[in-house]
Amino acid sequence: YFKSVEEDISPTNQIQVEIDNEKVNEYKGDGLIISTSTGSTAYSMAAGGPIVHPSIDAMIINPICPMSLASRPIVIPNSSKVIVKPVKKSKGEIKLWGDGKKCMTIKATYFCEIKKGKSPCKIIKFKKGTNYYNTLIKKLDWKGDLSLKNPKI
């Protein structure tokens, strides 16, 4: 995820996003989360992003507390190339955090390119695991199938 370099006052970020060599938006707000469909139920969901089924090959671009109501999360094919860079009108630096990685600073003349890796991530799948929707029902405290519950009359 991306955040401003200034630490004194928690300034607003201005982040430009290009998708497949086309400028799409300049996000102004607290930051920007880019996740896969597998990661959609983590920080992105907590910031108001969509839940995307893991069998859908997608990336989610989700603004954190945007200053415009028009700045909405967007789901794009995971074959897309995403370029993220600071808007030059701002101080020109943003910070980049990645899962399990140290923070990096992206200066005004730099950019970050995000694209699908060449080799897939290996994930352990247990034989007796519950299905995806049962996991969502349990973890998010959804109601699920009410016919399976013992009603108290």
Side-chain angles (χ1 to χ4, degrees), residues 47-58:
I51 296 172
V52 180
H53 193 282
S55 68
I56 298 172
D57 292 330

Side-chain angles (χ1 to χ4, degrees), residues 12-57:
T12 302
N13 295 285
Q14 292 187 52
I15 302 169
Q16 180 178 310
V17 173
E18 296 174 11
I19 302 171
D20 295 328
N21 301 314
E22 181 179 346
K23 181 180 171 187
V24 175
N25 202 355
E26 285 185 6
Y27 293 95
K28 191 173 185 181
D30 287 352
L32 194 64
I33 300 168
I34 300 178
S35 72
T36 63
S37 51
T38 302
S40 71
T41 53
Y43 187 29
S44 180
M45 182 186 76
I51 296 172
V52 180
H53 193 282
S55 68
I56 298 172
D57 292 330

